[in-house]
Amino acid sequence: MFRRLREAAPALRFRFDGEPLTGVPGDTIAAALLASGRLALRKSVVGGEPRAPYCMMGVCFECLVEVDGVANRQACLTPLTDGMEVRSQSGARTIRPAAGQEP
């Protein structure tokens, strides 16, 4: 579905849900994932349906992923770096009550 117009070297290595992948300098996380054939980046918080990048310019928030342990990062706006650990997000995150608050 997606292909690169030209390849650049050297490749940037990263992992998506534990799977080793590569991208090229200048890629965002979303671009690298789409180029590698990964379409679904997260699951909907409402019904659990797979969600994919939509606008690719940071407006729609359909491409939220966890990057190096930080949740809710927009894959379409986050530049890919070598060694990055990217994880898909599934559903709504759990929010712990503040200290002294009842659950």
Side-chain angles (χ1 to χ4, degrees):
M1 177 179 218
F2 294 94
R3 66 178 178 84
R4 297 188 184 287
L5 297 177
R6 62 184 165 92
E7 291 295 324
L12 299 174
R13 287 184 224 99
F14 71 105
R15 295 177 78 77
F16 180 64
D17 288 341
E19 181 183 356
L21 299 171
T22 60
V24 297
D27 272 355
T28 62
I29 295 169
L33 288 170
L34 289 171
S36 71
R38 304 321 177 273
L39 301 181
L41 304 189
R42 70 178 184 92
K43 291 188 178 175
S44 167
V45 297
V46 176
E49 297 89 4
R51 309 304 292 174
Y54 181 68
C55 73
M56 294 296 285
M57 62 183 188
V59 175
C60 71
F61 294 89
E62 292 296 329
C63 64
L64 294 178
V65 293
E66 179 183 302
V67 179
D68 295 330
V70 179
N72 299 318
R73 300 287 310 269
Q74 287 177 277
C76 71
L77 296 179
T78 306
L80 185 67
T81 60
D82 199 50
M84 209 175 238
E85 185 71 36
V86 182
R87 295 200 171 281
S88 57
Q89 292 190 174
S90 185
R93 67 184 179 111
T94 302
I95 300 175
R96 290 185 220 130
Q101 297 288 322
E102 293 292 323

